[in-house]
Amino acid sequence: MGTVESAPVSGASKFVGQRVERFESIPLLTGRGRFGDDLAVKPGTLHAAVYRSSYPHARIKSIDVSQAEKMPGVRAVLTPDDVRAWSRPFINGVKMPMEMWALAMDKVRYVGEPIAVVIAEDRYLAEDALDGIKIEFEALPAVSSIDGAMSDDAAILHEAVGTNVLHERQFTYGDPESRFREAEHTLSLNIEYPRNSCTPIECGVVIAEHLAGEAGYDVCSNFMGPFSMHAVMSLALQVPGNRLRHRSAPDSGGSFGVKQAVFTAVVLMCLASRKAGGAPVKWVEDRLEHLSAATAANGRKATIKAAFDSDGRIRALDLDQMDDVGAYLRAPEPATFYRMHGILTGAYRIADLQVRNLVVVTNKMPSGLVRGFGGPQVYFALERMVQRIAQHLKMDPLDVYRRNFIQADQFPYRAAAGALLDSGDYQQAMDAAIAQGGLEELLQRRDQARAQGKLYGIGYAAIVEPSISNMGYITVALTPQQRAKAGPKNGGIATATVNIDLLGSVTVIIASSPAGQGHVTVCAQVVADVFGLQPKDIHVNVDFDTDKDAWSVAAGNYSSRFAGAVAGTVHLAATRLKAKMADMAAHQLGGEASDMAFEDGLVFRKGQADKAIPFARLASSAHWAPAELPEGMAPGMRVTEFWTPESLGAPTEDDRVNTSAAYGFAFDICAVEIDRKTGRVTIDRYVTAHDAGKILNPAMADGQIRGAFAQGLGAALLEEFRYGDDGGFQSGTFADYLVPTSYEVPDPVIVHLETPSPFTPLGAKGLGEGNNMSTPVCIANAVADALSPLGRQPDIRLPLTPNRVLDLIGFDDPAPSGDVQVHKPAKKTGRGHALSASGSTQIPASPDKVFDVLMDPQALAKVIPGCRELQRIGENQYRADVTISIGMIKARYEATISLTNIDRPHSLHLQGKGVSSLGGAEGGGDIVLQANEQGTLMKYQYEAEVQGKVAAVGGRMLEGAARMVLGQLFEQLGRQASGQDTASGSEGVWHRVLRFLRIKK
């Protein structure tokens, strides 16, 4: 790098590199954390609830909020007309006429898209008032897949664009066509990577205030950056950047990237405050909102082709990548493609590369930052290909790695698409994983298991983990001509301030938003080493404020930038301040500044510790006695440092770009056993070797590795955002969006290697995302290896749920048993989650008595749980007012119920339809009554469909609720028909009427 300050720290460190315990742990473990929802708010703060679309794709014909505005405690309702008047669409990363506003305008394009905001005196009143908003929709065909979006007859999401393909670029590096033409072997592999996300324990929180006059907006939120999005928010609100003050909470209950998506809610709540006359407005995202409408990793469909020699040497790659970004190309997309662009060849010496990137919109929530951001998709293709090459050549996969790894003496190494890999020894890291992870033992276990007919496999993955993103990488999405017109973009600026007060106390301020990683402790370690103090003596301030704190475009907590960039910049700032103190000490003690030593809270000339000055006294003299400072020295003890890696340049004319400043390495080994009968994948052992340069705190490094491993395991085995063919969201609770718990997550064997980066101040690289990139494909490779004795090379699709694994094995699932069978109906309206079921139940009353209840409105009202009122509107037709809930979802439905095909006392057909602020429900079913000795055997069959937020709770919860609804309904029917009291059963856990209302034939 050329300067002493930018070189990696040398010499023995007292605290950096040690397992110093986290200072953050005590307040968090004792309940004294300060999260977004814990912060005090001003008197008069109002609360917001968001009316969200229950349709995946529909035209908004009318919006009537008059009833909601009159409801108790409601102060205002923000509508699309307000948003259009006071803001403008969010800018996007490519030039196109696609508009995304803070609220849906003329159309909704995904289930969960915000349409209106109720602002009330508390959240309960705001939620209740959502039922007073009346919106008329015209349902439109939905697009739920990449193939569907690209079909000739696909519904167009953005008419102004005219296509669902919003971005396409092709790149060629070297001469891949010749390499493929000359190759001894070629292989092609199709892969699909599902949409998934991360589930922080704390969802989004925003507290926004519209200030008087032209003062703009004041916001506190748990947005985590990058603060390049500050400009996006300011532009959307039509205010200068200095009129949007943004503060972050001191603590954050996890982010893993997804809290980047809070920026849209920041804009929305600013506008809500403006509609409420400037009163502060607070919004706390609930779990269903988070799962259905926050953000997701891009779903990817790709074809990877490789040209290689008979010895396994890979000569060229061809990547055809298509990403599903959801309904909008929301900033910073299409960054998922381009964050990894420079390193598409991974850990391998592959000079010839061809790439095609294509972005597709579908009727799903928009995508954004998720831990690993782009890496899981890239490595799932690349590392699956490495395994297939080994299988094709009947080679040990480890030999394929050895033949293709970048060699230790080649660093810094320039990859085909432009990444400048700073340091590493991939062969040594792999060897360490093999030795310390016990691979020889695992291979013996595999042999023994296979001899017993068991399915046991071993998989590998080698990934390069980028950290400290080049803020110019996204501009590779533009053509060189477009980039030239816009001007060069590059760099990854980090900022830190070190201050010493008049009593000699040290404070550090960083432009980052920690989410549990231990920033306070590590910064204290770094500064304590510089000044010769104890880490406990250092106060680290992580309350970020754009009005007061130094920051720049890259500020924030993402892309594993803390260790390399933020902690490194803290080191540089402290070193500059130490140099000033050394000059002060030399002035007082004599000698040169370079002779001054800082140890154990004292400052002295080397070899003269008996004449030491206390650190605090020396520092305070700059405050109390500026006249005693060396001539020409400015008073004050505060240094703010801005640092950016010199290795990060703007994209070149031939589209090469160094996408990150530092590149770590991980090599993983996974051994699994598959249960032939259940399809369950059990991890026998997981080994992960990491080279993240200089490790600043090994305990925290291991914690980050374990966390990323747990999330990578979830992506491999459990997690997927599922949408129906109609665009309906089906993963809105943890009953259907399954995440791993401590029971499912084994403790990985962690191996460390340190090759310090020459490009970061402390030699550190990031390691917080690596296993989210490596673990999914490593497990997939292990499963593929376990299935290889069956004589097949299956296309592995994540997540590897038991049913999906059984399909790979070739196991036919037997027909379900029992009276009630839940399955997809033959006919659907195409707008929601559909079920059907049939069964029977015994009722202790005669068919006539049962029929009397079904035909009597007053008696029927008592049977339907949650029914407030049942009015006759025609012969055997009723209007019902019903409050229902499924899990966390509660809504007040306006329903119509009709009874037809009446054959007393033998049978009838019941049909219902309900509408609420959370979506619609409709369905129909047949009931047959047969007399027997116990009274009446009631047989039933129905088909049902539910749309919107209620459907988003997912199939497991809905199907479970269906059984409970029927059980409670029949219990009440039996009580009423036999003359027993029904009041005690009128309000059950599920408010059971949901299935009854949405039944459709």
Side-chain angles (χ1 to χ4, degrees), residues 575-653:
T575 300
R576 277 183 55 196
L577 196 51
K578 176 185 177 181
K580 181 174 183 177
M581 291 185 67
D583 286 337
M584 294 165 54
H587 182 65
Q588 296 184 32
L589 298 173
E592 300 295 326
S594 59
D595 294 332
M596 299 301 115
F598 289 69
E599 295 179 14
D600 299 325
L602 301 173
V603 183
F604 52 89
R605 288 185 68 178
K606 295 173 184 176
Q608 298 182 13
D610 57 325
K611 298 179 181 180
I613 304 173
F615 176 91
R617 181 190 300 172
L618 177 65
S620 66
S621 65
H623 295 279
W624 293 107
E628 301 301 318
L629 294 175
E631 184 177 354
M633 179 178 287
M637 294 298 290
R638 185 182 182 94
V639 167
T640 295
E641 182 77 17
F642 288 84
W643 174 81
T644 188
E646 294 178 18
S647 61
L648 298 183
T652 63
E653 290 187 3

Side-chain angles (χ1 to χ4, degrees), residues 40-106:
V41 295
K42 293 182 179 180
T45 295
L46 304 176
H47 297 263
V50 182
Y51 187 110
R52 297 184 180 276
S53 171
S54 60
Y55 289 79
H57 197 196
R59 204 169 303 282
I60 301 174
K61 299 184 71 175
S62 65
I63 301 177
D64 182 359
V65 300
S66 58
Q67 182 180 342
E69 290 174 329
K70 297 174 184 177
M71 295 181 73
V74 174
R75 295 282 290 275
V77 179
L78 183 75
T79 68
D81 288 341
D82 301 320
V83 172
R84 193 184 296 275
W86 297 333
S87 68
R88 64 186 188 185
F90 294 102
I91 60 172
N92 59 69
V94 295
K95 309 299 183 182
M96 64 177 60
M98 182 216 72
E99 292 188 352
M100 176 184 169
W101 298 75
L103 290 178
M105 289 297 168
D106 302 322

Side-chain angles (χ1 to χ4, degrees), residues 74-415:
V74 174
R75 295 282 290 275
V77 179
L78 183 75
T79 68
D81 288 341
D82 301 320
V83 172
R84 193 184 296 275
W86 297 333
S87 68
R88 64 186 188 185
F90 294 102
I91 60 172
N92 59 69
V94 295
K95 309 299 183 182
M96 64 177 60
M98 182 216 72
E99 292 188 352
M100 176 184 169
W101 298 75
L103 290 178
M105 289 297 168
D106 302 322
K107 287 206 312 183
V108 293
R109 294 177 173 88
Y110 64 97
V111 172
E113 183 168 8
I115 306 174
V117 180
V118 174
I119 308 110
E121 293 170 4
D122 64 44
R123 179 65 178 264
Y124 301 98
L125 295 173
E127 292 279 0
D128 289 344
L130 293 177
D131 288 331
I133 298 176
K134 307 301 178 186
I135 302 179
E136 183 181 3
F137 294 96
E138 176 191 345
L140 300 171
V143 175
S144 62
S145 68
I146 291 174
D147 289 339
M150 297 176 63
S151 65
D152 293 338
D153 59 349
I156 301 300
L157 272 67
H158 301 276
E159 288 88 347
V161 179
T163 176
N164 291 328
V165 178
L166 267 60
H167 168 73
E168 182 175 2
R169 283 218 67 196
Q170 297 188 41
F171 307 88
T172 300
Y173 305 103
D175 188 3
E177 289 188 6
S178 295
R179 299 292 85 74
F180 274 92
R181 189 169 55 250
E182 300 163 357
E184 297 177 68
H185 303 271
T186 62
L187 272 179
S188 179
L189 178 64
N190 296 321
I191 69 105
E192 289 187 47
Y193 196 88
R195 284 186 137 233
N196 54 30
S197 190
C198 300
T199 52
I201 195 169
E202 176 201 39
C203 296
V205 179
V206 177
I207 306 167
E209 181 179 3
H210 179 235
L211 304 175
E214 300 298 322
Y217 300 92
D218 190 319
V219 179
C220 179
S221 84
N222 53 12
F223 171 75
M224 43 70 71
F227 271 78
S228 56
M229 304 305 295
H230 187 275
V232 175
M233 293 185 278
S234 299
L235 290 170
L237 290 167
Q238 301 186 106
V239 295
N242 62 1
R243 295 294 185 267
L244 175 60
R245 180 184 186 182
H246 191 283
R247 293 167 289 122
S248 62
D251 294 309
S252 174
S255 171
F256 318 113
V258 298
K259 283 181 180 166
Q260 174 267 342
V262 174
F263 84 89
T264 59
V266 168
V267 171
L268 188 57
M269 294 306 131
C270 284
L271 298 174
S273 173
R274 183 167 183 172
K275 184 64 183 283
V281 172
K282 180 177 181 178
W283 170 76
V284 179
E285 181 183 47
D286 66 38
R287 183 62 63 182
L288 181 55
E289 287 181 299
H290 181 80
L291 288 172
S292 64
T295 197
N298 287 359
R300 178 167 296 179
K301 185 174 183 179
T303 299
I304 180 171
K305 300 176 183 178
F308 53 98
D309 299 336
S310 294
D311 64 355
R313 184 77 168 85
I314 303 171
R315 297 299 179 181
L317 291 176
D318 184 305
L319 275 169
D320 194 341
Q321 307 178 120
M322 296 177 284
D323 268 16
D324 174 357
V325 297
Y328 298 92
L329 190 64
R330 183 175 67 186
E333 293 293 5
T336 298
F337 275 141
Y338 295 104
R339 185 221 178 176
M340 298 297 298
H341 188 81
I343 194 61
L344 286 172
T345 48
Y348 312 117
R349 292 168 290 138
I350 304 173
D352 300 283
L353 173 68
Q354 186 163 292
V355 186
R356 174 178 176 248
N357 291 337
L358 188 145
V359 168
V360 172
V361 286
T362 62
N363 292 113
K364 301 174 185 176
M365 81 174 99
S367 62
L369 273 63
V370 172
R371 193 174 196 168
F373 195 41
Q377 295 91 333
V378 165
Y379 290 121
F380 192 76
L382 184 57
E383 293 304 293
R384 287 289 296 125
M385 175 57 77
V386 170
Q387 189 199 55
R388 293 294 289 270
I389 290 172
Q391 291 174 330
H392 179 80
L393 297 174
K394 296 181 173 55
M395 288 178 60
D396 185 336
L398 298 177
D399 290 334
V400 178
Y401 287 120
R402 293 185 179 101
R403 282 176 171 77
N404 289 284
F405 274 156
I406 300 163
Q407 300 300 297
D409 60 1
Q410 293 180 298
F411 291 99
Y413 177 86
R414 182 73 70 178

Side-chain angles (χ1 to χ4, degrees), residues 860-913:
L860 185 61
K862 294 179 181 179
V863 169
I864 301 174
C867 184
R868 298 169 179 261
E869 185 180 10
L870 189 69
Q871 295 181 341
R872 186 189 296 272
I873 58 175
E875 186 170 357
N876 298 323
Q877 292 185 327
Y878 310 98
R879 177 180 292 114
D881 181 356
V882 184
T883 299
I884 63 103
S885 66
I886 295 291
M888 71 181 80
I889 308 305
K890 182 177 181 180
R892 191 169 178 176
Y893 273 73
E894 294 181 2
T896 58
I897 300 173
S898 62
L899 307 177
T900 59
N901 299 336
I902 299 171
D903 180 13
R904 183 186 180 94
H906 304 298
S907 63
L908 61 79
H909 179 76
L910 183 148
Q911 188 147 337
K913 184 176 183 179

